Short mmCIF file of all heavy atoms in Angstrom, two decimals:
data_model
loop_
_atom_site.label_atom_id
_atom_site.label_comp_id
_atom_site.label_asym_id
_atom_site.label_seq_id
_atom_site.Cartn_x
_atom_site.Cartn_y
_atom_site.Cartn_z
N GLY A 30 146.05 34.11 84.61
CA GLY A 30 147.00 33.85 83.77
C GLY A 30 147.25 34.95 82.73
O GLY A 30 148.05 34.81 81.89
N LYS A 31 146.43 36.02 82.77
CA LYS A 31 146.38 37.15 81.89
C LYS A 31 146.89 38.43 82.50
O LYS A 31 146.91 38.53 83.75
CB LYS A 31 145.02 37.40 81.32
CG LYS A 31 144.51 36.15 80.57
CD LYS A 31 145.20 35.83 79.24
CE LYS A 31 144.52 34.66 78.52
NZ LYS A 31 143.20 34.96 78.07
N GLN A 32 147.33 39.35 81.68
CA GLN A 32 147.71 40.68 82.14
C GLN A 32 146.49 41.47 82.60
O GLN A 32 145.38 41.16 82.27
CB GLN A 32 148.36 41.42 80.99
CG GLN A 32 149.72 40.75 80.63
CD GLN A 32 150.52 41.58 79.55
OE1 GLN A 32 150.03 42.80 79.19
NE2 GLN A 32 151.52 41.14 79.03
N ARG A 33 146.70 42.38 83.48
CA ARG A 33 145.66 43.31 83.80
C ARG A 33 145.47 44.38 82.61
O ARG A 33 146.43 45.13 82.36
CB ARG A 33 145.93 43.93 85.08
CG ARG A 33 144.82 44.92 85.63
CD ARG A 33 145.04 45.42 87.04
NE ARG A 33 145.16 44.40 88.01
CZ ARG A 33 145.31 44.61 89.15
NH1 ARG A 33 145.42 45.76 89.74
NH2 ARG A 33 145.38 43.58 90.15
N ASP A 34 144.41 44.31 82.00
CA ASP A 34 144.04 45.13 80.87
C ASP A 34 143.13 46.25 81.10
O ASP A 34 142.21 46.06 81.81
CB ASP A 34 143.67 44.23 79.69
CG ASP A 34 144.63 43.33 79.20
OD1 ASP A 34 145.86 43.42 79.17
OD2 ASP A 34 144.28 42.09 78.74
N LEU A 35 143.44 47.42 80.50
CA LEU A 35 142.52 48.47 80.53
C LEU A 35 141.24 48.27 79.76
O LEU A 35 141.44 47.91 78.48
CB LEU A 35 143.14 49.80 80.18
CG LEU A 35 142.38 51.06 80.22
CD1 LEU A 35 141.90 51.45 81.58
CD2 LEU A 35 143.20 52.22 79.55
N VAL A 36 140.09 48.39 80.39
CA VAL A 36 138.93 48.10 79.56
C VAL A 36 138.42 49.40 79.08
O VAL A 36 137.85 49.49 77.96
CB VAL A 36 137.84 47.43 80.56
CG1 VAL A 36 136.54 47.29 79.81
CG2 VAL A 36 138.33 46.06 80.91
N ALA A 37 138.26 50.38 79.82
CA ALA A 37 137.69 51.68 79.50
C ALA A 37 138.18 52.76 80.45
O ALA A 37 138.49 52.47 81.57
CB ALA A 37 136.06 51.67 79.58
N HIS A 38 138.11 53.98 79.95
CA HIS A 38 138.38 55.13 80.85
C HIS A 38 137.59 56.37 80.51
O HIS A 38 137.17 56.51 79.30
CB HIS A 38 139.91 55.44 80.91
CG HIS A 38 140.54 55.92 79.58
ND1 HIS A 38 140.53 57.22 79.23
CD2 HIS A 38 141.29 55.22 78.67
CE1 HIS A 38 141.14 57.38 78.15
NE2 HIS A 38 141.70 56.09 77.77
N ILE A 39 137.43 57.18 81.43
CA ILE A 39 136.65 58.45 81.16
C ILE A 39 137.23 59.56 81.88
O ILE A 39 137.87 59.54 83.06
CB ILE A 39 135.15 58.13 81.71
CG1 ILE A 39 134.34 59.39 81.47
CG2 ILE A 39 135.21 57.80 83.20
CD1 ILE A 39 132.86 59.11 81.63
N ALA A 40 137.25 60.69 81.22
CA ALA A 40 137.82 61.99 81.76
C ALA A 40 136.67 62.65 82.51
O ALA A 40 135.44 62.44 82.18
CB ALA A 40 138.44 62.85 80.81
N TRP A 41 136.98 63.58 83.37
CA TRP A 41 135.94 64.33 84.13
C TRP A 41 135.14 65.26 83.02
O TRP A 41 134.11 65.67 83.26
CB TRP A 41 136.58 65.05 85.18
CG TRP A 41 137.16 64.30 86.28
CD1 TRP A 41 138.35 64.38 86.88
CD2 TRP A 41 136.58 63.21 86.92
NE1 TRP A 41 138.57 63.38 87.72
CE2 TRP A 41 137.39 62.63 87.86
CE3 TRP A 41 135.25 62.68 86.88
CZ2 TRP A 41 137.20 61.57 88.72
CZ3 TRP A 41 135.03 61.49 87.69
CH2 TRP A 41 135.93 61.00 88.58
N SER A 42 135.81 65.50 81.89
CA SER A 42 135.14 66.23 80.86
C SER A 42 134.00 65.40 80.24
O SER A 42 133.23 65.97 79.58
CB SER A 42 136.06 66.74 79.91
OG SER A 42 136.65 65.64 79.08
N GLY A 43 134.02 64.03 80.38
CA GLY A 43 133.05 63.15 79.65
C GLY A 43 133.70 62.34 78.59
O GLY A 43 132.96 61.50 78.14
N SER A 44 134.82 62.69 78.11
CA SER A 44 135.37 61.94 76.99
C SER A 44 135.71 60.47 77.51
O SER A 44 136.12 60.22 78.61
CB SER A 44 136.70 62.60 76.59
OG SER A 44 136.44 63.85 76.07
N THR A 45 135.34 59.56 76.54
CA THR A 45 135.55 58.09 76.90
C THR A 45 136.36 57.34 75.93
O THR A 45 136.66 57.77 74.77
CB THR A 45 134.20 57.49 77.01
OG1 THR A 45 133.57 57.52 75.71
CG2 THR A 45 133.38 57.99 78.10
N ASN A 46 136.95 56.26 76.33
CA ASN A 46 137.74 55.47 75.39
C ASN A 46 137.55 54.06 75.87
O ASN A 46 137.46 53.72 77.04
CB ASN A 46 139.16 55.82 75.53
CG ASN A 46 140.04 55.19 74.43
OD1 ASN A 46 140.50 54.02 74.52
ND2 ASN A 46 140.25 55.89 73.38
N TYR A 47 137.43 53.08 74.89
CA TYR A 47 137.24 51.66 75.11
C TYR A 47 138.13 50.77 74.46
O TYR A 47 138.65 51.03 73.28
CB TYR A 47 135.71 51.36 74.66
CG TYR A 47 134.59 52.06 75.38
CD1 TYR A 47 134.01 53.29 74.87
CD2 TYR A 47 134.11 51.59 76.52
CE1 TYR A 47 133.21 53.88 75.46
CE2 TYR A 47 133.07 52.35 77.14
CZ TYR A 47 132.66 53.43 76.70
OH TYR A 47 131.73 54.21 77.29
N ALA A 48 138.35 49.76 75.07
CA ALA A 48 139.21 48.64 74.45
C ALA A 48 138.29 48.06 73.23
O ALA A 48 136.99 47.92 73.38
CB ALA A 48 139.54 47.53 75.30
N ASP A 49 138.92 47.59 72.16
CA ASP A 49 138.19 47.04 71.07
C ASP A 49 137.38 45.84 71.58
O ASP A 49 136.27 45.62 70.89
CB ASP A 49 139.21 46.56 70.04
CG ASP A 49 139.88 47.72 69.24
OD1 ASP A 49 139.28 48.90 69.35
OD2 ASP A 49 140.84 47.57 68.67
N SER A 50 137.74 45.07 72.47
CA SER A 50 137.02 43.90 72.81
C SER A 50 135.70 44.20 73.46
O SER A 50 134.85 43.27 73.57
CB SER A 50 137.97 42.99 73.82
OG SER A 50 138.30 43.79 74.92
N VAL A 51 135.45 45.42 73.96
CA VAL A 51 134.25 45.61 74.71
C VAL A 51 133.47 46.76 74.00
O VAL A 51 132.36 47.24 74.35
CB VAL A 51 134.51 46.08 76.18
CG1 VAL A 51 135.32 44.95 76.79
CG2 VAL A 51 135.28 47.45 76.28
N LYS A 52 134.05 47.51 72.99
CA LYS A 52 133.43 48.60 72.36
C LYS A 52 132.16 48.19 71.82
O LYS A 52 131.87 47.17 71.13
CB LYS A 52 134.40 49.10 71.17
CG LYS A 52 133.90 50.44 70.59
CD LYS A 52 135.01 50.95 69.76
CE LYS A 52 136.39 51.19 70.41
NZ LYS A 52 137.37 51.72 69.38
N GLY A 53 131.17 49.00 72.04
CA GLY A 53 129.64 48.78 71.56
C GLY A 53 128.97 47.93 72.51
O GLY A 53 127.66 47.84 72.42
N ARG A 54 129.56 47.26 73.60
CA ARG A 54 128.91 46.48 74.66
C ARG A 54 128.91 47.18 75.88
O ARG A 54 127.98 47.04 76.70
CB ARG A 54 129.48 45.13 74.64
CG ARG A 54 129.40 44.31 73.40
CD ARG A 54 129.75 42.82 73.50
NE ARG A 54 131.23 42.69 73.98
CZ ARG A 54 131.63 42.24 75.11
NH1 ARG A 54 130.62 41.71 75.94
NH2 ARG A 54 132.95 42.18 75.29
N PHE A 55 130.05 47.77 76.36
CA PHE A 55 130.25 48.39 77.59
C PHE A 55 130.08 49.81 77.61
O PHE A 55 130.49 50.46 76.44
CB PHE A 55 131.62 48.04 78.24
CG PHE A 55 131.66 46.60 78.53
CD1 PHE A 55 130.85 45.54 78.27
CD2 PHE A 55 133.03 46.23 79.17
CE1 PHE A 55 130.96 44.34 78.55
CE2 PHE A 55 133.12 44.90 79.63
CZ PHE A 55 132.17 43.94 79.31
N THR A 56 129.61 50.41 78.64
CA THR A 56 129.55 51.92 78.72
C THR A 56 130.01 52.37 80.01
O THR A 56 129.56 51.95 81.05
CB THR A 56 128.07 52.40 78.44
OG1 THR A 56 127.50 51.95 77.26
CG2 THR A 56 127.92 53.89 78.51
N ILE A 57 131.04 53.25 79.97
CA ILE A 57 131.55 53.84 81.19
C ILE A 57 130.94 55.11 81.48
O ILE A 57 130.73 55.89 80.41
CB ILE A 57 133.12 53.88 81.09
CG1 ILE A 57 133.68 54.33 82.50
CG2 ILE A 57 133.50 54.81 80.06
CD1 ILE A 57 135.17 54.23 82.55
#
């Protein structure tokens, strides 16, 4: 019943970004 949400992404350079809901708990 929910949208498909982006959790995290990573560039080949190593830069990362996280959704607020998982920040500090998940590591990509």
Side-chain angles (χ1 to χ4, degrees):
K31 302 290 183 64
Q32 296 182 7
R33 183 175 297 184
D34 295 325
L35 180 64
V36 175
H38 63 81
I39 183 169
W41 297 129
S42 66
S44 296
T45 59
N46 193 273
Y47 299 91
D49 288 341
S50 59
V51 307
K52 193 174 299 182
R54 299 188 297 119
F55 291 9
T56 302
I57 188 170

